[in-house]
Amino acid sequence: MKLLPTAAVFLGLLGACASSPPDHFYVLTAQPPTGGATQTTPAVQATLKVSLPSLVDRAEMVLNTSADAVTVLEHERWAAPLIDLMTQTLAQDIERRRGDLLVGHNVSRSSAPAIKITVDMVQVWMRRGARASIETHWRILDTRNGKEVAGGDIFTAPLGQEGYATVAQALSQCIAKLADRLAEQMPRTE
């Protein structure tokens, strides 16, 4: 039996589709506070704005393979835009550390937030078998008195070889360390 060229191409494509690896999706998770924060009723609204380098702000995980090379993992993906996952996780981490704040949730238009937090993720670096790190700069503005705190640091967490879920976990730990620092530097609401 002789196959027509079109049928042969179709069967080849069908076979290629059937053998492609499945996609895996990952999320970031808020981490418990290291010092045991006191929970109170949220009294002060805060806004949070986070920016990411375009290199990592994509659906696929991006891992560093050397100081000047990366690999984009086509089938290891974030379940939502990475900027959204990082902003949401950082907001939850701050709230867990500062029970007197409500960060980025339902800030009413009629009243300005008391605290404005801006975080610039200058660099996000992840390498399996090594570590994950985020280099950040931040500004915290207390709109009630105009006082501003600015800072920056690098936060790291170990990243094992086993599975890509460890990448998400290590990045979550880096964000939690950033939240610890921000919570320390934010003005008290009493």
Side-chain angles (χ1 to χ4, degrees):
M1 176 173 146
K2 198 174 204 183
L3 288 175
L4 298 173
T6 306
V9 170
F10 177 73
L11 289 174
L13 288 174
L14 185 61
C17 291
S19 65
S20 66
D23 289 341
H24 300 101
F25 296 91
Y26 303 91
V27 296
L28 302 176
T29 55
Q31 304 293 302
T34 54
T38 58
Q39 290 296 327
T40 61
T41 303
V44 175
Q45 292 181 339
T47 58
L48 173 64
K49 181 180 179 193
V50 177
S51 66
L52 276 177
S54 59
L55 176 67
V56 295
D57 191 16
R58 53 190 310 141
E60 305 87 0
M61 277 190 181
V62 177
L63 298 184
N64 297 77
T65 56
S66 68
D68 56 356
V70 297
T71 185
V72 178
L73 303 171
E74 182 63 33
H75 299 287
E76 308 302 325
R77 297 174 165 266
W78 299 109
L82 186 56
I83 187 70
D84 293 348
L85 290 173
M86 290 185 92
T87 302
Q88 187 177 45
T89 303
L90 182 57
Q92 291 171 354
D93 279 338
I94 292 169
E95 286 179 353
R96 286 182 174 196
R97 286 147 180 81
R98 289 287 304 270
D100 58 333
L101 296 176
L102 184 61
V103 182
H105 299 289
N106 300 323
V107 177
S108 70
R109 296 179 191 269
S110 61
S111 64
I115 299 173
K116 293 182 179 182
I117 309 159
T118 306
V119 176
D120 181 22
M121 302 277 183
V122 178
Q123 184 175 14
V124 178
W125 195 88
M126 297 175 284
R127 186 167 185 180
R128 287 182 68 191
R131 71 183 194 289
S133 68
I134 54 174
E135 180 181 349
T136 61
H137 296 160
W138 62 81
R139 290 179 31 175
I140 302 167
L141 174 64
D142 186 339
T143 62
R144 299 167 296 185
N145 58 22
K147 289 185 180 177
E148 184 175 69
V149 175
D153 207 343
I154 298 172
F155 303 93
T156 64
L159 205 161
Q161 289 281 7
E162 65 284 342
Y164 292 104
T166 61
V167 174
Q169 181 61 31
L171 192 52
S172 295
Q173 290 171 0
C174 290
I175 293 169
K177 290 176 181 181
L178 170 60
D180 288 340
R181 182 71 60 81
L182 293 175
E184 291 171 4
Q185 294 191 354
M186 276 187 240
R188 292 287 165 191
T189 58
E190 292 91 43

